[in-house]
Amino acid sequence: LRLLDGAEAAHPLVIRASRDQQLLLEFHRRAAVSNGSLAPIGSSDFHWGGNLGRCRTFLFVRDVTAAGVIEAVRSARTVAFDGDERLIGDRRFVAAAREVLDRNPPPISTDPRGRFAAWIALLGLAVLVVFK
């Protein structure tokens, strides 16, 4: 845990599953105890049921470059956002992220066509595996 630069603290699949959300937050808390500079990460990935882009990571970079992003993560200048209300990270950065969210609420897609397309892709993959 001490070697991690960051750990997921918000993920779309655990937003409504309170037990899973608590497990995710507990892992992040335990990892942060071992590593004081652990960056909280809000996952924006998509796993067949969540909304793409719902969770996010705010980065507080000094330079808008790849090296600046890496430096911000390794310095824990990140805030994980769960897509609803929860912001996870250092209080100073959480306050700055809240100001940004108050001015510019993020658009969150609830379009069911994205989920339908994902299930069709999964079905196609299953067919390829069965008939290969």
Side-chain angles (χ1 to χ4, degrees), residues 2 20-21 34 44 57-58 72 74 85 89 93 102 107-108 112 130:
R2 288 177 303 191
D20 291 341
Q21 185 177 43
S34 295
S44 63
T57 304
F58 287 90
R74 288 184 174 159
E85 290 295 320
F93 301 124
D102 288 346
I108 296 174
V130 169

Side-chain angles (χ1 to χ4, degrees), residues 8-131:
E8 202 168 56
H11 188 280
L13 288 182
V14 299
I15 289 170
R16 287 188 178 78
S18 62
R19 181 176 177 272
D20 291 341
Q21 185 177 43
Q22 291 306 316
L23 287 173
L24 182 67
L25 290 172
E26 178 59 24
F27 173 79
H28 188 271
R29 189 197 64 72
R30 275 195 344 259
V33 167
S34 295
N35 179 348
S37 64
L38 185 73
I41 304 296
S43 177
S44 63
D45 59 350
F46 177 76
H47 292 277
W48 314 111
N51 293 321
L52 182 63
R54 183 176 185 94
C55 296
R56 296 147 196 248
T57 304
F58 287 90
L59 293 161
F60 295 86
V61 300
R62 293 185 174 116
D63 297 310
V64 183
T65 63
V69 167
I70 291 169
E71 194 268 332
V73 169
R74 288 184 174 159
S75 299
R77 291 194 321 272
T78 66
V79 170
F81 174 55
D82 73 357
D84 286 329
E85 290 295 320
R86 190 182 315 236
L87 292 164
I88 301 131
D90 180 287
R91 283 185 287 193
R92 297 168 296 160
F93 301 124
V94 165
R98 175 64 59 205
E99 286 181 29
V100 170
L101 286 169
D102 288 346
R103 286 192 313 266
N104 302 300
I108 296 174
S109 172
T110 56
D111 189 341
R113 293 176 293 184
R115 287 190 188 145
F116 179 73
W119 282 109
I120 293 298
L122 183 61
L123 178 62
L125 180 62
V127 168
L128 285 175
V129 168
V130 169
F131 289 106

